[in-house]
Amino acid sequence: QVQLVESGGGLVQPGGSLRLSCAASGSIFAINVMNWYRQAPGKQRELVAGVTSGGSTDYADSVKGRFTISRDNAENTVYLQMNSLRPEDTAVYYCKLRVYSATYGWRDYWGQGTQVTVSS
């Protein structure tokens, strides 16, 4: 089995920063794409950022220049550094990893979600 554990959410003032982490553990042979999504109240879940196994990154237009996604392959962990936070960034943030395991082959796994609230 594969488990994902997220951490790093919280309450921050506008203009502040937070760093989210998502660590995978279990029977992992490889991890391909690592993504961060978010879902605000009353809205659909949206893709925020992604990073491939080769290190290529992509971002939603709304976070470009403010958020940075990175990964530590040795630790099976993906990070999301969020700077210049705005109230509209308030949401539950989820990581999603495409993982290869012996039991299931390639499969997508989701984190449990971490709340980010930007408010004064």
Side-chain angles (χ1 to χ4, degrees), residues 19-34:
R19 189 192 195 206
L20 307 182
S21 299
C22 172
S25 62
S27 301
I28 297 170
F29 284 123
I31 301 177
N32 192 348
V33 178
M34 294 177 159

Side-chain angles (χ1 to χ4, degrees), residues 1-2 25-31 98-109:
Q1 291 293 347
V2 175
S25 62
S27 301
I28 297 170
F29 284 123
I31 301 177
R98 177 152 293 179
V99 177
Y100 187 89
S101 65
T103 303
Y104 299 106
W106 287 109
R107 182 178 178 181
D108 288 335
Y109 292 86

Side-chain angles (χ1 to χ4, degrees), residues 3-4 12 19 36-37 40 44 47 51 57 71 75-76 83 90 93 96 100 104-105 110 115 118:
Q3 299 83 35
L4 304 186
V12 64
R19 189 192 195 206
W36 284 98
Y37 287 76
Q44 290 189 332
L47 178 62
V51 57
T57 59
R71 61 190 287 167
E75 298 294 330
N76 292 330
N83 300 327
T90 296
Y93 284 71
K96 186 183 81 170
Y100 187 89
Y104 299 106
W110 288 87
Q115 177 70 47
V118 185

